[in-house]
């Protein structure tokens, strides 16, 4: 029988829980109140314009960082690139 956890909130925390728990045989619906995923690290649209909400996720992807470890655990490979000044 499947175990179920309902996650309230599709910010980074809820999305991470929703990605990790199925690895342990949980069925995990993630419920999000707004139209966008990502919570305070998400974005919103007004007319033709897209605005970041404010938070970012830039740190934690370094070797041994929290996001790097979670991605490795999930078997995700992220493309990395450096922005260079011209
Ligand atoms: C400037 C800045 C820079 C940052 N840089 C980094 C970084 O480099 N690396 C890093 O790891 N972190 C960084 N952080 C922190 C990171 O962005 C936050 O810790 C993270 O986004 C928080 O995610 P959360 O899921 O805990 O909460 P939230 O993003 O607040 O998500 C909560 C979600 O729950 C939803 N919700 C609330 N109530 C309900 C309800 N009743 N029903 C359904 N949905 C509901 C909300 O709509 C929201 O989508 C930064 C933060 C800031 C401000």
């Amino acid at each position: 029988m499947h175990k179920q956890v309902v996650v309230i909130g599709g910010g980074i925390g809820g999305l991470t829980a929703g990605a990790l728990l199925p690895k342990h045989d949980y069925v995990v619906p993630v419920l999000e109140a707004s139209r966008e995923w990502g919570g305070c690290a998400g974005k919103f649209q007004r007319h033709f314009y897209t605005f970041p909400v404010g938070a970012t996720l830039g740190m934690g992807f370094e070797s041994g960082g929290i996001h790097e470890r979670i991605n490795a655990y999930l078997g995700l490979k992220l493309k990395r690139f450096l922005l260079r000044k011209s």
Side-chain angles (χ1 to χ4, degrees):
M1 198 174 87
H2 285 294
K3 299 168 278 185
Q4 189 173 52
V5 170
V6 178
V7 174
I8 311 291
I12 298 302
L15 292 174
T16 301
L20 290 175
L21 285 170
K23 286 266 192 191
H24 300 275
D25 296 326
Y26 284 87
V27 173
V28 190
V30 180
L31 308 179
E32 171 51 51
S34 79
R35 279 197 253 166
E36 292 278 352
W37 300 105
C40 65
K43 60 183 176 11
F44 65 94
Q45 280 187 305
R46 288 291 179 276
H47 304 289
F48 301 110
Y49 304 100
T50 301
F51 301 90
V53 175
T56 58
L57 283 185
M59 295 175 287
F61 294 94
E62 68 282 359
S63 180
I66 183 64
H67 301 303
E68 191 269 343
R69 285 186 282 139
I70 289 170
N71 287 333
Y73 184 76
L74 292 171
L76 300 175
K77 289 200 172 121
L78 299 184
K79 275 190 179 170
R80 297 172 194 211
F81 57 91
L82 294 173
L83 295 176
R84 296 182 198 280
K85 289 181 187 169
S86 56

